[in-house]
Amino acid sequence: MLHDLRVHQIELEMQNEELHRTQVELEASRARYFDLYDLAPVGYVTLSEKGLILEANLIAATLLGVARGALVKQPFRRFILPEDQDIYYRHGKQLSERGVPQVCELKMLRADAVPFWARFGGDHGTGR
């Protein structure tokens, strides 16, 4: 019985070491993700299937003139000029029908009503 307990203890210690290694790897991946997404020189926005902003990087928040935290759960179309809403709609429809990355240009509107052109691309893996 003592032998069995010792074997189980060794197995648990090995599993604990593996979990620790996995945690270190996950932290490194998270740091790389932060660098790639959040500090990218272009605006990134992750959208829900309904077009709500789930997250945005620092550049996207700056471009839209809104604090990053205030963007969450906002409809992305809110920042698209009315005359370009159809382009956005068609873009989303093609993305969901074809499942391949789509790109279009939209005229967007900052929170302070200053318009700007944006190249908008999306795929199912990163949001629309």
Side-chain angles (χ1 to χ4, degrees), residues 28-67:
S29 292
R30 188 192 65 72
R32 281 191 303 275
Y33 169 80
F34 176 82
D35 289 345
L36 292 172
Y37 185 87
D38 216 29
L39 300 177
V42 296
Y44 283 123
V45 178
T46 303
L47 304 178
S48 71
E49 288 183 21
K50 294 183 179 187
L52 299 178
I53 298 172
L54 299 175
E55 66 181 321
N57 71 353
L58 298 171
I59 295 294
T62 300
L63 287 169
L64 296 172
V66 177

Side-chain angles (χ1 to χ4, degrees), residues 102-115:
Q102 301 289 314
V103 177
C104 64
E105 289 187 1
L106 299 169
K107 195 158 191 186
M108 301 192 65
L109 195 62
R110 288 176 40 95
D112 60 6
V114 174

Side-chain angles (χ1 to χ4, degrees), residues 12 14-24 26:
L12 288 173
M14 290 171 52
Q15 289 175 356
N16 190 33
E17 288 174 12
E18 180 62 29
L19 285 172
H20 180 71
R21 278 193 299 273
T22 301
Q23 181 181 8
V24 168
L26 284 172

Side-chain angles (χ1 to χ4, degrees), residues 95 99-102 121-128:
L95 177 62
V100 294
Q102 301 289 314
D123 66 60
H124 279 296
T126 59
R128 225 175 51 190

